[in-house]
Amino acid sequence: AQSVTQPDIHITVSEGASLELRCNYSYGATPYLFWYVQSPGQGLQLLLKYFSGDTLVQGIKGFEAEFKRSQSSFNLRKPSVHWSDAAEYFCAVGTNAGNMLTFGGGTRLMVKP
Amino acid sequence: EPEVTQTPSHQVTQMGQEVILRCVPISNHLYFYWYRQILGQKVEFLVSFYNNEISEKSEIFDDQFSVERPDGSNFTLKIRSTKLEDSAMYFCASSSDRARNQPQHFGDGTRLSIL
């Protein structure tokens, strides 16, 4: 069965600093990978997705992520964080075997002024 | 942009009571899902629904749970006899195609509190 690990439970960065959130997955074949963001009291908003092709994918709000098969990783990056980026970020994996998504435990991002 | 809508936003129910959580998926979507997130834990898959039948379900989705698409727009999750451990945020999602082709779009969730 597939699994997702987000090693960092909490991350604090200063506004304007760069950001990288880590995501590692476990799955034997090619995964489909997603990053979602959840603001307090809100649902899960899709930031970006990887299905195939270019391993560097661009998403909304200036985020990007890079799929590295050799490292089983799909890390999320942003060059300059804004205070409004403070939220919880979830990495998820989907597979050819079905339609369920398996989520990581999430990383809570706090942004210092 | 089209949205998945869930009602109510918060439901408080006595243990042992039946509860129905409602969702209106995005209108041209064909695949529907329920997930739940117990406080402080991961988002967990419950069930997927396509062509008026369950296509996939997790171990969590036992006989106490059922899903239905009673009309052309609503998608419901019913819990027959609620337990304390059913307290969680329940998310509905929909997609226009299978997970390997199109992403799932989530609603804002229903917070279910069992007393």
Side-chain angles (χ1 to χ4, degrees):
Chain A
Q2 64 274 18
S3 65
V4 179
T5 302
Q6 293 179 247
D8 304 304
I9 298 174
H10 292 102
I11 282 185
T12 300
V13 300
S14 298
E15 190 168 17
S18 64
L19 172 70
E20 183 168 26
L21 302 183
R22 295 184 291 166
C23 171
N24 293 99
Y25 68 89
S26 173
Y27 180 60
T30 301
Y32 307 100
L33 296 158
F34 308 86
W35 275 99
Y36 286 86
V37 60
Q38 184 181 33
S39 298
Q42 302 290 309
L44 298 164
Q45 182 184 21
L46 179 70
L47 282 177
L48 47 77
K49 59 189 183 291
Y50 171 78
F51 287 132
S52 64
D54 194 345
T55 56
L56 183 64
V57 294
Q58 303 296 322
I60 62 171
K61 304 184 181 187
F63 285 93
E64 67 178 26
E66 186 170 12
F67 170 55
K68 293 186 177 179
R69 186 188 300 274
S70 61
Q71 298 177 19
S72 298
S73 69
F74 189 57
N75 294 348
L76 182 71
R77 300 194 294 249
K78 186 169 184 178
S80 177
V81 167
H82 188 261
W83 64 266
S84 60
D85 293 325
E88 187 144 24
Y89 291 79
F90 293 93
C91 181
V93 64
T95 73
N96 264 322
N99 291 312
M100 65 176 280
L101 295 184
T102 300
F103 283 82
T107 297
R108 183 167 298 280
L109 173 66
M110 289 177 280
V111 180
K112 290 190 299 186
Chain B
E1 185 175 324
E3 291 183 344
V4 175
T5 306
Q6 291 186 242
T7 54
S9 56
H10 191 189
Q11 174 82 45
V12 182
T13 302
Q14 292 287 334
M15 186 173 60
Q17 296 296 305
E18 175 183 286
V19 66
I20 297 176
L21 308 182
R22 302 181 191 279
C23 170
V24 178
I26 294 173
S27 63
N28 63 342
H29 284 187
L30 301 174
Y31 294 78
F32 313 111
Y33 314 86
W34 284 101
Y35 291 80
R36 78 171 185 191
Q37 184 181 28
I38 295 172
L39 189 64
Q41 298 186 24
K42 292 185 179 186
V43 176
E44 301 171 290
F45 170 79
L46 293 178
V47 65
S48 63
F49 190 86
Y50 170 71
N51 201 25
N52 280 320
E53 60 183 25
I54 291 173
S55 52
E56 198 175 358
K57 62 182 181 178
S58 71
E59 293 175 353
I60 303 167
F61 195 87
D62 61 21
D63 292 344
Q64 294 287 67
F65 291 89
S66 61
V67 290
E68 192 178 30
R69 189 155 162 80
D71 53 42
S73 59
N74 290 284
F75 179 52
T76 62
L77 174 69
K78 182 193 289 186
I79 309 175
R80 287 190 184 81
S81 178
T82 50
K83 308 183 190 71
L84 294 176
E85 55 264 36
D86 294 327
S87 294
M89 181 74 91
Y90 287 80
F91 292 107
C92 175
S94 69
S95 63
S96 57
D97 201 342
R98 296 177 62 89
R100 64 171 177 261
N101 295 326
Q102 290 293 334
Q104 296 173 22
H105 297 265
F106 286 76
D108 284 347
T110 293
R111 180 167 298 284
L112 177 62
S113 299
I114 308 300
L115 304 179

